[in-house]
Amino acid sequence: MHYTEVHIPSSGCTLFITGASRGIGKAIALKAAKDGANIVIAAKTAEPHRTLPGTIYTAAAEIEAAGGKALPCVVNVREEQQVIDAVEKAVKTFGGIDILVNNASAISLTGTLETEMKKVNLMMEVNVRGTYITSKTCLPHLRKSRNPHILNLSPPVNLNPMWFKNHCAYTISKYGMSMCVLGMAEEFRGEVAVNALWPKTAIHTAAMDMLGGHGIEKQCRKTDILADAAYCILTKPKSFTGNFIIDEVLLREEGVKDFDVYAIAPGHPLMPDFFLDVETDVTDRKQEQYGASQTFKEEKKLSSSQHEGPESAPAKSLSPVAETFRVIQGAMSEEYVRTTQGVFQFELSGDEGGTWYIDLKTKGGSAGFGKPSVAADVVMSMSSADFVKMFTGKLKPTLAFMSGKLRIKGNMTLAIKLEKMLTQLNSKL
């Protein structure tokens, strides 16, 4: 790979990275550490999390092993004094700050009525206010650096309503980070470079596992692609500023041709990330082309039932949606009920419009036409055609939601179990 000739110096260059204890932040830190850079790990995880791997201290050990110097600091970016203290400690330890990476972020993919105010506050305080405070606190030190940079992990501002309607608060908070780039790049032009970086595809992190459920990693790339793109940006001169950069686009410009090295499952269709308009049907066709797991067995059953002879008349009379629910009903078990504990209601539009349900809470479980016998925990609205696609593996629930094809109301945690549930049901076919 050919990079610009301005390299992160082997000694003396200090990066202040928020949320660097794991995921994308840590990947960027490790990339810079190979050049011997100083890394300030500004993150709140000092004690091991119940489910998420990594602390500021385990990240520090990895950074030191990679060749860098690490300064782990307990920082919740919602707390201004913690940010100020960490910046002062960084300057005292390393003599200054050359690069700030605003990576810390909070996410809740819920609609306006379903988003509790504490979640709204969290996203606004971490994503927007945290980015602003950290930038404001670092800027006086950045201005003294020879080649200072601020890099926000935030998207291009895309005002397509599709990106607002399903998760308005999250979108506002991420665009707030991007507007910091717009404003500060111009305000400090000639002094400090300020840019945004965003992935073209979903990136496999602990957060993505929680959002997408089991098997989502096959549709993701490794954090390495963002680390390489970030390195490329941060080694450019400070005149490179005010840009909203997509990782793959930049790396292609830099001469990278093999992107399979970044894939968790090379050759598998990749899920596009939020805020980037794509032709989702193309992705659907790719999913179909690759088979996307054994869940296509049901599609074959559906199509064959429509072309069999008179002896198959009862099966032939079932519509694709009705047949899908018949299969779900037949695959019910106490185990699915015990592990899921949720009632899903589907409001389908199109040729087979109407209300359908899957009850994985009541003893034995059930599925079929109409409203469930107990109140639904999750209500999902989509077209009947997309529902069948989703069940047969052609359309992943996460992608359906991100592309606006699926609207979700209610318990988001249960909704996230949908993909796992569908995989389990189909494995019985």
Side-chain angles (χ1 to χ4, degrees), residues 343-363:
V343 178
F344 302 86
Q345 183 172 319
F346 299 87
E347 296 296 339
L348 303 183
S349 59
D351 292 342
E352 299 172 74
T355 301
W356 299 76
Y357 75 94
I358 300 173
D359 182 347
L360 286 169
K361 181 184 283 185
T362 309
K363 182 175 174 62

Side-chain angles (χ1 to χ4, degrees), residues 54-69:
T55 67
I56 57 175
Y57 304 111
T58 58
E62 290 184 57
I63 287 162
E64 298 271 357
K69 292 180 181 176

Side-chain angles (χ1 to χ4, degrees), residues 406-417:
L406 168 62
R407 184 168 177 78
I408 301 173
K409 290 183 180 180
N411 187 324
M412 199 66 188
T413 305
L414 277 174
I416 289 164
K417 289 186 176 182

Side-chain angles (χ1 to χ4, degrees), residues 166-200:
N166 289 330
H167 37 75
C168 190
Y170 175 65
T171 298
I172 291 169
S173 70
K174 291 306 289 187
Y175 285 4
M177 294 177 71
S178 299
M179 286 190 278
C180 285
V181 171
L182 277 174
M184 293 178 192
E186 201 59 37
E187 183 178 0
F188 298 97
R189 186 173 292 277
E191 294 184 276
V192 179
V194 186
N195 295 289
L197 173 62
W198 195 247
K200 183 175 181 181

Side-chain angles (χ1 to χ4, degrees), residues 271-301:
M271 182 169 66
D273 209 338
F274 287 92
F275 311 119
L276 304 178
D277 291 341
V278 293
E279 180 53 60
T280 53
D281 287 336
V282 172
T283 308
D284 293 346
R285 284 198 292 275
K286 285 183 180 177
Q287 297 271 12
E288 185 174 4
Q289 174 188 340
Y290 283 96
S293 87
Q294 294 188 2
T295 55
F296 278 128
K297 289 179 182 177
E298 179 55 25
E299 184 202 23
K300 291 174 184 175
K301 277 192 177 184

